[in-house]
Amino acid sequence: MGCVQSANLAHFVSDRCYSTCARSFPFLDDVTTCSYTKLQQVEVDLPVMLMTTSFYGFLLNPKKSIFLRPSARILGHLVAEEALSVSSEKR
């Protein structure tokens, strides 16, 4: 649905809700979860993030959900295992 009315409130609420998820980083209505290994992602970090999402009644859009990526573009930056760089779209 997005955050049309109050981005600051949405960011505050998501920060509080995901504060117990050590490697989940919310930003407005998005959540990024990172791990050191794929095994840790599958067995620990992803289940904790999904349980938290379910507990607070947040809904995930399956079309926008991407799991187990080696790299991702986050807020105009390309984040990968090897490096962090500014994405080509932002240059």
Side-chain angles (χ1 to χ4, degrees):
M1 174 160 48
C3 306
V4 178
Q5 298 300 321
S6 178
N8 289 336
L9 180 60
H11 188 66
F12 174 80
V13 169
S14 62
D15 267 349
R16 288 291 174 112
C17 293
Y18 289 99
S19 65
T20 59
C21 302
R23 285 176 286 280
S24 292
F25 305 96
F27 182 76
L28 296 177
D29 62 346
D30 296 325
V31 179
T32 301
T33 301
C34 60
S35 304
Y36 294 108
T37 65
K38 286 182 183 179
L39 185 65
Q40 181 182 19
Q41 179 79 18
V42 171
E43 292 186 354
V44 180
D45 298 328
L46 196 53
V48 169
M49 186 276 294
L50 292 172
M51 284 187 284
T52 302
T53 301
S54 176
F55 178 81
Y56 287 104
F58 296 147
L59 301 175
L60 298 177
N61 184 342
K63 293 179 183 177
K64 293 183 177 181
S65 299
I66 303 169
F67 300 104
L68 299 172
R69 293 185 67 184
S71 64
R73 188 182 58 79
I74 302 170
L75 299 175
H77 293 81
L78 184 62
V79 179
E81 208 174 321
E82 309 82 34
L84 171 66
S85 62
V86 176
S87 79
S88 58
E89 301 159 357
K90 199 165 183 171
R91 292 182 190 165

mmCIF file of all heavy atoms in Angstrom, residues 42-89:
data_model
loop_
_atom_site.group_PDB
_atom_site.id
_atom_site.type_symbol
_atom_site.label_atom_id
_atom_site.label_comp_id
_atom_site.label_asym_id
_atom_site.label_seq_id
_atom_site.Cartn_x
_atom_site.Cartn_y
_atom_site.Cartn_z
ATOM 1 N N VAL A 42 18.790 -18.696 5.587
ATOM 2 C CA VAL A 42 17.642 -19.607 5.502
ATOM 3 C C VAL A 42 17.193 -20.099 6.867
ATOM 4 O O VAL A 42 15.997 -20.210 7.133
ATOM 5 C CB VAL A 42 17.979 -20.796 4.572
ATOM 6 C CG1 VAL A 42 16.909 -21.863 4.636
ATOM 7 C CG2 VAL A 42 18.169 -20.306 3.151
ATOM 8 N N GLU A 43 18.131 -20.383 7.760
ATOM 9 C CA GLU A 43 17.777 -20.998 9.039
ATOM 10 C C GLU A 43 17.528 -20.012 10.176
ATOM 11 O O GLU A 43 16.845 -20.352 11.134
ATOM 12 C CB GLU A 43 18.866 -21.987 9.458
ATOM 13 C CG GLU A 43 18.919 -23.203 8.560
ATOM 14 C CD GLU A 43 19.892 -24.247 9.045
ATOM 15 O OE1 GLU A 43 20.622 -23.996 10.035
ATOM 16 O OE2 GLU A 43 19.937 -25.330 8.438
ATOM 17 N N VAL A 44 18.080 -18.805 10.083
ATOM 18 C CA VAL A 44 17.963 -17.868 11.208
ATOM 19 C C VAL A 44 17.321 -16.536 10.801
ATOM 20 O O VAL A 44 16.230 -16.195 11.256
ATOM 21 C CB VAL A 44 19.345 -17.596 11.851
ATOM 22 C CG1 VAL A 44 19.215 -16.621 13.005
ATOM 23 C CG2 VAL A 44 19.997 -18.883 12.302
ATOM 24 N N ASP A 45 17.993 -15.789 9.954
ATOM 25 C CA ASP A 45 17.603 -14.398 9.709
ATOM 26 C C ASP A 45 16.267 -14.253 8.985
ATOM 27 O O ASP A 45 15.432 -13.433 9.368
ATOM 28 C CB ASP A 45 18.704 -13.675 8.928
ATOM 29 C CG ASP A 45 20.004 -13.637 9.710
ATOM 30 O OD1 ASP A 45 19.937 -13.581 10.952
ATOM 31 O OD2 ASP A 45 21.083 -13.681 9.092
ATOM 32 N N LEU A 46 16.059 -15.034 7.938
ATOM 33 C CA LEU A 46 14.794 -14.936 7.208
ATOM 34 C C LEU A 46 13.604 -15.388 8.048
ATOM 35 O O LEU A 46 12.586 -14.686 8.091
ATOM 36 C CB LEU A 46 14.899 -15.730 5.905
ATOM 37 C CG LEU A 46 13.850 -15.445 4.843
ATOM 38 C CD1 LEU A 46 13.762 -13.963 4.519
ATOM 39 C CD2 LEU A 46 14.147 -16.246 3.587
ATOM 40 N N PRO A 47 13.689 -16.524 8.758
ATOM 41 C CA PRO A 47 12.552 -16.901 9.619
ATOM 42 C C PRO A 47 12.232 -15.863 10.694
ATOM 43 O O PRO A 47 11.057 -15.594 10.968
ATOM 44 C CB PRO A 47 12.999 -18.222 10.251
ATOM 45 C CG PRO A 47 13.963 -18.795 9.285
ATOM 46 C CD PRO A 47 14.678 -17.612 8.698
ATOM 47 N N VAL A 48 13.251 -15.253 11.293
ATOM 48 C CA VAL A 48 13.005 -14.228 12.315
ATOM 49 C C VAL A 48 12.308 -13.024 11.697
ATOM 50 O O VAL A 48 11.341 -12.493 12.262
ATOM 51 C CB VAL A 48 14.325 -13.814 13.012
ATOM 52 C CG1 VAL A 48 14.128 -12.578 13.867
ATOM 53 C CG2 VAL A 48 14.864 -14.955 13.843
ATOM 54 N N MET A 49 12.764 -12.599 10.520
ATOM 55 C CA MET A 49 12.137 -11.456 9.857
ATOM 56 C C MET A 49 10.697 -11.785 9.477
ATOM 57 O O MET A 49 9.789 -10.977 9.670
ATOM 58 C CB MET A 49 12.941 -11.061 8.609
ATOM 59 C CG MET A 49 12.451 -9.788 7.923
ATOM 60 S SD MET A 49 11.084 -9.954 6.775
ATOM 61 C CE MET A 49 11.808 -10.916 5.468
ATOM 62 N N LEU A 50 10.451 -12.992 8.954
ATOM 63 C CA LEU A 50 9.098 -13.372 8.562
ATOM 64 C C LEU A 50 8.174 -13.538 9.769
ATOM 65 O O LEU A 50 6.992 -13.169 9.706
ATOM 66 C CB LEU A 50 9.136 -14.647 7.721
ATOM 67 C CG LEU A 50 9.784 -14.499 6.341
ATOM 68 C CD1 LEU A 50 9.933 -15.857 5.678
ATOM 69 C CD2 LEU A 50 9.003 -13.540 5.468
ATOM 70 N N MET A 51 8.689 -14.070 10.880
ATOM 71 C CA MET A 51 7.871 -14.181 12.099
ATOM 72 C C MET A 51 7.505 -12.806 12.631
ATOM 73 O O MET A 51 6.374 -12.579 13.066
ATOM 74 C CB MET A 51 8.613 -14.988 13.163
ATOM 75 C CG MET A 51 8.611 -16.471 12.905
ATOM 76 S SD MET A 51 9.304 -17.441 14.242
ATOM 77 C CE MET A 51 11.049 -17.151 14.032
ATOM 78 N N THR A 52 8.451 -11.870 12.592
ATOM 79 C CA THR A 52 8.187 -10.505 13.043
ATOM 80 C C THR A 52 7.140 -9.851 12.144
ATOM 81 O O THR A 52 6.217 -9.192 12.620
ATOM 82 C CB THR A 52 9.484 -9.674 13.055
ATOM 83 O OG1 THR A 52 10.425 -10.317 13.910
ATOM 84 C CG2 THR A 52 9.236 -8.265 13.529
ATOM 85 N N THR A 53 7.284 -10.042 10.847
ATOM 86 C CA THR A 53 6.326 -9.497 9.880
ATOM 87 C C THR A 53 4.930 -10.036 10.159
ATOM 88 O O THR A 53 3.953 -9.284 10.182
ATOM 89 C CB THR A 53 6.771 -9.856 8.448
ATOM 90 O OG1 THR A 53 8.074 -9.311 8.228
ATOM 91 C CG2 THR A 53 5.819 -9.305 7.422
ATOM 92 N N SER A 54 4.831 -11.327 10.410
ATOM 93 C CA SER A 54 3.542 -11.960 10.706
ATOM 94 C C SER A 54 2.981 -11.476 12.040
ATOM 95 O O SER A 54 1.783 -11.186 12.153
ATOM 96 C CB SER A 54 3.709 -13.475 10.719
ATOM 97 O OG SER A 54 2.520 -14.094 11.084
ATOM 98 N N PHE A 55 3.831 -11.380 13.060
ATOM 99 C CA PHE A 55 3.399 -10.971 14.396
ATOM 100 C C PHE A 55 2.728 -9.600 14.360
ATOM 101 O O PHE A 55 1.702 -9.380 15.006
ATOM 102 C CB PHE A 55 4.589 -10.956 15.355
ATOM 103 C CG PHE A 55 4.242 -10.510 16.740
ATOM 104 C CD1 PHE A 55 3.669 -11.396 17.639
ATOM 105 C CD2 PHE A 55 4.481 -9.217 17.148
ATOM 106 C CE1 PHE A 55 3.331 -10.996 18.923
ATOM 107 C CE2 PHE A 55 4.154 -8.791 18.429
ATOM 108 C CZ PHE A 55 3.583 -9.687 19.325
ATOM 109 N N TYR A 56 3.309 -8.666 13.606
ATOM 110 C CA TYR A 56 2.756 -7.312 13.560
ATOM 111 C C TYR A 56 1.688 -7.136 12.482
ATOM 112 O O TYR A 56 1.147 -6.045 12.312
ATOM 113 C CB TYR A 56 3.875 -6.284 13.374
ATOM 114 C CG TYR A 56 4.684 -6.110 14.634
ATOM 115 C CD1 TYR A 56 5.947 -6.662 14.752
ATOM 116 C CD2 TYR A 56 4.163 -5.421 15.723
ATOM 117 C CE1 TYR A 56 6.690 -6.519 15.917
ATOM 118 C CE2 TYR A 56 4.887 -5.276 16.901
ATOM 119 C CZ TYR A 56 6.145 -5.834 16.977
ATOM 120 O OH TYR A 56 6.860 -5.686 18.135
ATOM 121 N N GLY A 57 1.386 -8.204 11.750
ATOM 122 C CA GLY A 57 0.321 -8.135 10.752
ATOM 123 C C GLY A 57 0.696 -7.391 9.490
ATOM 124 O O GLY A 57 -0.180 -6.940 8.750
ATOM 125 N N PHE A 58 1.999 -7.266 9.223
ATOM 126 C CA PHE A 58 2.426 -6.617 7.987
ATOM 127 C C PHE A 58 2.211 -7.590 6.837
ATOM 128 O O PHE A 58 2.307 -8.803 7.002
ATOM 129 C CB PHE A 58 3.898 -6.219 8.041
ATOM 130 C CG PHE A 58 4.219 -5.185 9.084
ATOM 131 C CD1 PHE A 58 5.437 -5.199 9.722
ATOM 132 C CD2 PHE A 58 3.319 -4.198 9.422
ATOM 133 C CE1 PHE A 58 5.754 -4.255 10.681
ATOM 134 C CE2 PHE A 58 3.620 -3.247 10.382
ATOM 135 C CZ PHE A 58 4.841 -3.272 11.004
ATOM 136 N N LEU A 59 1.941 -7.073 5.665
ATOM 137 C CA LEU A 59 1.736 -7.902 4.488
ATOM 138 C C LEU A 59 2.917 -7.743 3.541
ATOM 139 O O LEU A 59 3.426 -6.638 3.363
ATOM 140 C CB LEU A 59 0.441 -7.501 3.770
ATOM 141 C CG LEU A 59 -0.833 -7.611 4.602
ATOM 142 C CD1 LEU A 59 -2.029 -7.072 3.808
ATOM 143 C CD2 LEU A 59 -1.078 -9.052 5.010
ATOM 144 N N LEU A 60 3.335 -8.836 2.936
ATOM 145 C CA LEU A 60 4.398 -8.803 1.940
ATOM 146 C C LEU A 60 3.789 -8.992 0.560
ATOM 147 O O LEU A 60 2.893 -9.803 0.375
ATOM 148 C CB LEU A 60 5.411 -9.924 2.198
ATOM 149 C CG LEU A 60 6.157 -9.859 3.522
ATOM 150 C CD1 LEU A 60 7.073 -11.074 3.651
ATOM 151 C CD2 LEU A 60 6.964 -8.582 3.618
ATOM 152 N N ASN A 61 4.288 -8.247 -0.394
ATOM 153 C CA ASN A 61 3.843 -8.381 -1.774
ATOM 154 C C ASN A 61 4.734 -9.417 -2.452
ATOM 155 O O ASN A 61 5.925 -9.177 -2.634
ATOM 156 C CB ASN A 61 3.956 -7.039 -2.490
ATOM 157 C CG ASN A 61 3.424 -7.084 -3.901
ATOM 158 O OD1 ASN A 61 3.261 -8.139 -4.485
ATOM 159 N ND2 ASN A 61 3.165 -5.908 -4.443
ATOM 160 N N PRO A 62 4.194 -10.574 -2.816
ATOM 161 C CA PRO A 62 5.020 -11.617 -3.434
ATOM 162 C C PRO A 62 5.720 -11.153 -4.710
ATOM 163 O O PRO A 62 6.819 -11.607 -5.011
ATOM 164 C CB PRO A 62 4.026 -12.739 -3.752
ATOM 165 C CG PRO A 62 2.843 -12.474 -2.911
ATOM 166 C CD PRO A 62 2.805 -10.996 -2.669
ATOM 167 N N LYS A 63 5.109 -10.248 -5.439
ATOM 168 C CA LYS A 63 5.726 -9.762 -6.679
ATOM 169 C C LYS A 63 6.961 -8.903 -6.402
ATOM 170 O O LYS A 63 7.836 -8.770 -7.250
ATOM 171 C CB LYS A 63 4.716 -8.952 -7.487
ATOM 172 C CG LYS A 63 3.579 -9.800 -8.022
ATOM 173 C CD LYS A 63 2.601 -8.956 -8.784
ATOM 174 C CE LYS A 63 1.429 -9.810 -9.259
ATOM 175 N NZ LYS A 63 0.411 -9.013 -9.936
ATOM 176 N N LYS A 64 7.027 -8.307 -5.219
ATOM 177 C CA LYS A 64 8.163 -7.457 -4.865
ATOM 178 C C LYS A 64 9.153 -8.146 -3.939
ATOM 179 O O LYS A 64 10.179 -7.570 -3.604
ATOM 180 C CB LYS A 64 7.662 -6.172 -4.189
ATOM 181 C CG LYS A 64 6.891 -5.262 -5.102
ATOM 182 C CD LYS A 64 6.520 -4.005 -4.355
ATOM 183 C CE LYS A 64 5.808 -3.012 -5.235
ATOM 184 N NZ LYS A 64 5.485 -1.780 -4.499
ATOM 185 N N SER A 65 8.862 -9.358 -3.522
ATOM 186 C CA SER A 65 9.725 -10.075 -2.585
ATOM 187 C C SER A 65 10.789 -10.859 -3.348
ATOM 188 O O SER A 65 10.475 -11.630 -4.250
ATOM 189 C CB SER A 65 8.906 -11.034 -1.734
ATOM 190 O OG SER A 65 7.950 -10.316 -0.988
ATOM 191 N N ILE A 66 12.033 -10.625 -2.962
ATOM 192 C CA ILE A 66 13.159 -11.310 -3.592
ATOM 193 C C ILE A 66 14.024 -11.878 -2.477
ATOM 194 O O ILE A 66 14.417 -11.168 -1.560
ATOM 195 C CB ILE A 66 13.975 -10.338 -4.459
ATOM 196 C CG1 ILE A 66 13.073 -9.695 -5.514
ATOM 197 C CG2 ILE A 66 15.138 -11.061 -5.111
ATOM 198 C CD1 ILE A 66 13.719 -8.545 -6.247
ATOM 199 N N PHE A 67 14.342 -13.165 -2.560
ATOM 200 C CA PHE A 67 15.097 -13.825 -1.501
ATOM 201 C C PHE A 67 16.410 -14.396 -2.042
ATOM 202 O O PHE A 67 16.508 -14.770 -3.204
ATOM 203 C CB PHE A 67 14.268 -14.952 -0.885
ATOM 204 C CG PHE A 67 12.970 -14.480 -0.284
ATOM 205 C CD1 PHE A 67 11.770 -14.678 -0.927
ATOM 206 C CD2 PHE A 67 12.968 -13.818 0.928
ATOM 207 C CE1 PHE A 67 10.579 -14.240 -0.377
ATOM 208 C CE2 PHE A 67 11.782 -13.366 1.496
ATOM 209 C CZ PHE A 67 10.595 -13.580 0.839
ATOM 210 N N LEU A 68 17.389 -14.476 -1.164
ATOM 211 C CA LEU A 68 18.678 -15.123 -1.431
ATOM 212 C C LEU A 68 19.399 -14.563 -2.658
ATOM 213 O O LEU A 68 19.840 -15.280 -3.533
ATOM 214 C CB LEU A 68 18.502 -16.634 -1.564
ATOM 215 C CG LEU A 68 17.957 -17.325 -0.319
ATOM 216 C CD1 LEU A 68 17.640 -18.771 -0.616
ATOM 217 C CD2 LEU A 68 18.927 -17.212 0.836
ATOM 218 N N ARG A 69 19.557 -13.251 -2.693
ATOM 219 C CA ARG A 69 20.285 -12.600 -3.778
ATOM 220 C C ARG A 69 21.729 -12.357 -3.352
ATOM 221 O O ARG A 69 21.975 -11.919 -2.235
ATOM 222 C CB ARG A 69 19.649 -11.271 -4.116
ATOM 223 C CG ARG A 69 18.272 -11.437 -4.709
ATOM 224 C CD ARG A 69 17.710 -10.140 -5.137
ATOM 225 N NE ARG A 69 18.487 -9.635 -6.264
ATOM 226 C CZ ARG A 69 18.276 -8.458 -6.806
ATOM 227 N NH1 ARG A 69 17.368 -7.662 -6.327
ATOM 228 N NH2 ARG A 69 18.990 -8.057 -7.825
ATOM 229 N N PRO A 70 22.695 -12.565 -4.237
ATOM 230 C CA PRO A 70 24.088 -12.278 -3.910
ATOM 231 C C PRO A 70 24.388 -10.778 -3.901
ATOM 232 O O PRO A 70 25.351 -10.327 -3.286
ATOM 233 C CB PRO A 70 24.884 -12.991 -4.993
ATOM 234 C CG PRO A 70 23.937 -13.104 -6.140
ATOM 235 C CD PRO A 70 22.558 -13.197 -5.540
ATOM 236 N N SER A 71 23.541 -9.993 -4.581
ATOM 237 C CA SER A 71 23.703 -8.537 -4.580
ATOM 238 C C SER A 71 22.329 -7.903 -4.755
ATOM 239 O O SER A 71 21.394 -8.539 -5.240
ATOM 240 C CB SER A 71 24.635 -8.089 -5.702
ATOM 241 O OG SER A 71 24.068 -8.399 -6.957
ATOM 242 N N ALA A 72 22.235 -6.642 -4.357
ATOM 243 C CA ALA A 72 20.955 -5.944 -4.473
ATOM 244 C C ALA A 72 21.185 -4.449 -4.591
ATOM 245 O O ALA A 72 22.191 -3.916 -4.111
ATOM 246 C CB ALA A 72 20.094 -6.227 -3.249
ATOM 247 N N ARG A 73 20.233 -3.767 -5.242
ATOM 248 C CA ARG A 73 20.270 -2.314 -5.314
ATOM 249 C C ARG A 73 19.381 -1.794 -4.203
ATOM 250 O O ARG A 73 18.186 -2.083 -4.157
ATOM 251 C CB ARG A 73 19.761 -1.827 -6.668
ATOM 252 C CG ARG A 73 19.967 -0.330 -6.868
ATOM 253 C CD ARG A 73 19.412 0.122 -8.193
ATOM 254 N NE ARG A 73 17.993 -0.164 -8.341
ATOM 255 C CZ ARG A 73 17.009 0.568 -7.799
ATOM 256 N NH1 ARG A 73 17.293 1.603 -7.051
ATOM 257 N NH2 ARG A 73 15.745 0.243 -8.000
ATOM 258 N N ILE A 74 19.983 -1.058 -3.269
ATOM 259 C CA ILE A 74 19.250 -0.550 -2.118
ATOM 260 C C ILE A 74 19.489 0.952 -2.017
ATOM 261 O O ILE A 74 20.627 1.392 -1.828
ATOM 262 C CB ILE A 74 19.699 -1.241 -0.809
ATOM 263 C CG1 ILE A 74 19.499 -2.749 -0.929
ATOM 264 C CG2 ILE A 74 18.950 -0.670 0.384
ATOM 265 C CD1 ILE A 74 20.124 -3.533 0.182
ATOM 266 N N LEU A 75 18.430 1.723 -2.149
ATOM 267 C CA LEU A 75 18.482 3.181 -2.032
ATOM 268 C C LEU A 75 19.591 3.785 -2.887
ATOM 269 O O LEU A 75 20.360 4.633 -2.449
ATOM 270 C CB LEU A 75 18.663 3.585 -0.563
ATOM 271 C CG LEU A 75 17.552 3.135 0.381
ATOM 272 C CD1 LEU A 75 17.907 3.492 1.811
ATOM 273 C CD2 LEU A 75 16.225 3.742 -0.011
ATOM 274 N N GLY A 76 19.689 3.323 -4.127
ATOM 275 C CA GLY A 76 20.659 3.879 -5.065
ATOM 276 C C GLY A 76 22.071 3.356 -4.926
ATOM 277 O O GLY A 76 22.985 3.854 -5.564
ATOM 278 N N HIS A 77 22.270 2.342 -4.104
ATOM 279 C CA HIS A 77 23.593 1.745 -3.939
ATOM 280 C C HIS A 77 23.526 0.267 -4.304
ATOM 281 O O HIS A 77 22.536 -0.404 -4.045
ATOM 282 C CB HIS A 77 24.084 1.890 -2.498
ATOM 283 C CG HIS A 77 24.361 3.297 -2.120
ATOM 284 N ND1 HIS A 77 23.351 4.172 -1.743
ATOM 285 C CD2 HIS A 77 25.505 4.007 -2.092
ATOM 286 C CE1 HIS A 77 23.886 5.351 -1.473
ATOM 287 N NE2 HIS A 77 25.189 5.287 -1.684
ATOM 288 N N LEU A 78 24.596 -0.224 -4.898
ATOM 289 C CA LEU A 78 24.689 -1.640 -5.208
ATOM 290 C C LEU A 78 25.456 -2.297 -4.066
ATOM 291 O O LEU A 78 26.619 -1.986 -3.821
ATOM 292 C CB LEU A 78 25.414 -1.862 -6.533
ATOM 293 C CG LEU A 78 25.487 -3.301 -6.994
ATOM 294 C CD1 LEU A 78 24.091 -3.854 -7.226
ATOM 295 C CD2 LEU A 78 26.304 -3.415 -8.257
ATOM 296 N N VAL A 79 24.783 -3.172 -3.333
ATOM 297 C CA VAL A 79 25.371 -3.851 -2.185
ATOM 298 C C VAL A 79 25.603 -5.302 -2.587
ATOM 299 O O VAL A 79 24.682 -5.986 -3.011
ATOM 300 C CB VAL A 79 24.437 -3.786 -0.957
ATOM 301 C CG1 VAL A 79 25.046 -4.502 0.221
ATOM 302 C CG2 VAL A 79 24.120 -2.342 -0.613
ATOM 303 N N ALA A 80 26.868 -5.734 -2.468
ATOM 304 C CA ALA A 80 27.219 -7.104 -2.829
ATOM 305 C C ALA A 80 28.175 -7.662 -1.787
ATOM 306 O O ALA A 80 28.652 -6.949 -0.908
ATOM 307 C CB ALA A 80 27.864 -7.138 -4.207
ATOM 308 N N GLU A 81 28.432 -8.949 -1.925
ATOM 309 C CA GLU A 81 29.331 -9.625 -1.002
ATOM 310 C C GLU A 81 30.729 -8.994 -1.043
ATOM 311 O O GLU A 81 31.377 -8.830 -0.028
ATOM 312 C CB GLU A 81 29.428 -11.093 -1.422
ATOM 313 C CG GLU A 81 29.730 -12.039 -0.328
ATOM 314 C CD GLU A 81 29.671 -13.468 -0.822
ATOM 315 O OE1 GLU A 81 28.789 -13.803 -1.631
ATOM 316 O OE2 GLU A 81 30.530 -14.231 -0.382
ATOM 317 N N GLU A 82 31.164 -8.622 -2.231
ATOM 318 C CA GLU A 82 32.520 -8.116 -2.415
ATOM 319 C C GLU A 82 32.652 -6.607 -2.232
ATOM 320 O O GLU A 82 33.720 -6.123 -1.891
ATOM 321 C CB GLU A 82 33.030 -8.447 -3.825
ATOM 322 C CG GLU A 82 32.897 -9.868 -4.262
ATOM 323 C CD GLU A 82 31.502 -10.229 -4.781
ATOM 324 O OE1 GLU A 82 30.847 -9.365 -5.386
ATOM 325 O OE2 GLU A 82 31.068 -11.348 -4.539
ATOM 326 N N ALA A 83 31.593 -5.859 -2.508
ATOM 327 C CA ALA A 83 31.760 -4.406 -2.543
ATOM 328 C C ALA A 83 30.453 -3.669 -2.312
ATOM 329 O O ALA A 83 29.367 -4.236 -2.380
ATOM 330 C CB ALA A 83 32.333 -3.998 -3.897
ATOM 331 N N LEU A 84 30.611 -2.387 -2.076
ATOM 332 C CA LEU A 84 29.494 -1.448 -1.980
ATOM 333 C C LEU A 84 29.805 -0.319 -2.942
ATOM 334 O O LEU A 84 30.892 0.264 -2.890
ATOM 335 C CB LEU A 84 29.375 -0.911 -0.545
ATOM 336 C CG LEU A 84 28.411 0.239 -0.313
ATOM 337 C CD1 LEU A 84 26.983 -0.224 -0.566
ATOM 338 C CD2 LEU A 84 28.542 0.755 1.089
ATOM 339 N N SER A 85 28.889 -0.018 -3.844
ATOM 340 C CA SER A 85 29.148 1.040 -4.819
ATOM 341 C C SER A 85 27.852 1.778 -5.130
ATOM 342 O O SER A 85 26.759 1.304 -4.820
ATOM 343 C CB SER A 85 29.741 0.459 -6.094
ATOM 344 O OG SER A 85 28.839 -0.440 -6.689
ATOM 345 N N VAL A 86 27.993 2.934 -5.763
ATOM 346 C CA VAL A 86 26.839 3.711 -6.194
ATOM 347 C C VAL A 86 26.314 3.060 -7.466
ATOM 348 O O VAL A 86 27.085 2.750 -8.374
ATOM 349 C CB VAL A 86 27.226 5.181 -6.450
ATOM 350 C CG1 VAL A 86 26.043 5.971 -6.986
ATOM 351 C CG2 VAL A 86 27.761 5.810 -5.186
ATOM 352 N N SER A 87 25.010 2.815 -7.529
ATOM 353 C CA SER A 87 24.451 2.165 -8.717
ATOM 354 C C SER A 87 24.529 3.096 -9.921
ATOM 355 O O SER A 87 24.575 4.316 -9.777
ATOM 356 C CB SER A 87 23.021 1.701 -8.474
ATOM 357 O OG SER A 87 22.135 2.773 -8.573
ATOM 358 N N SER A 88 24.530 2.515 -11.100
ATOM 359 C CA SER A 88 24.672 3.301 -12.338
ATOM 360 C C SER A 88 23.498 4.260 -12.520
ATOM 361 O O SER A 88 23.641 5.302 -13.152
ATOM 362 C CB SER A 88 24.786 2.371 -13.533
ATOM 363 O OG SER A 88 23.650 1.531 -13.602
ATOM 364 N N GLU A 89 22.340 3.939 -11.975
ATOM 365 C CA GLU A 89 21.173 4.813 -12.083
ATOM 366 C C GLU A 89 21.354 6.124 -11.344
ATOM 367 O O GLU A 89 20.766 7.126 -11.674
ATOM 368 C CB GLU A 89 19.942 4.093 -11.528
ATOM 369 C CG GLU A 89 19.637 2.811 -12.239
ATOM 370 C CD GLU A 89 18.767 1.886 -11.401
ATOM 371 O OE1 GLU A 89 18.462 2.234 -10.246
ATOM 372 O OE2 GLU A 89 18.398 0.821 -11.904
#
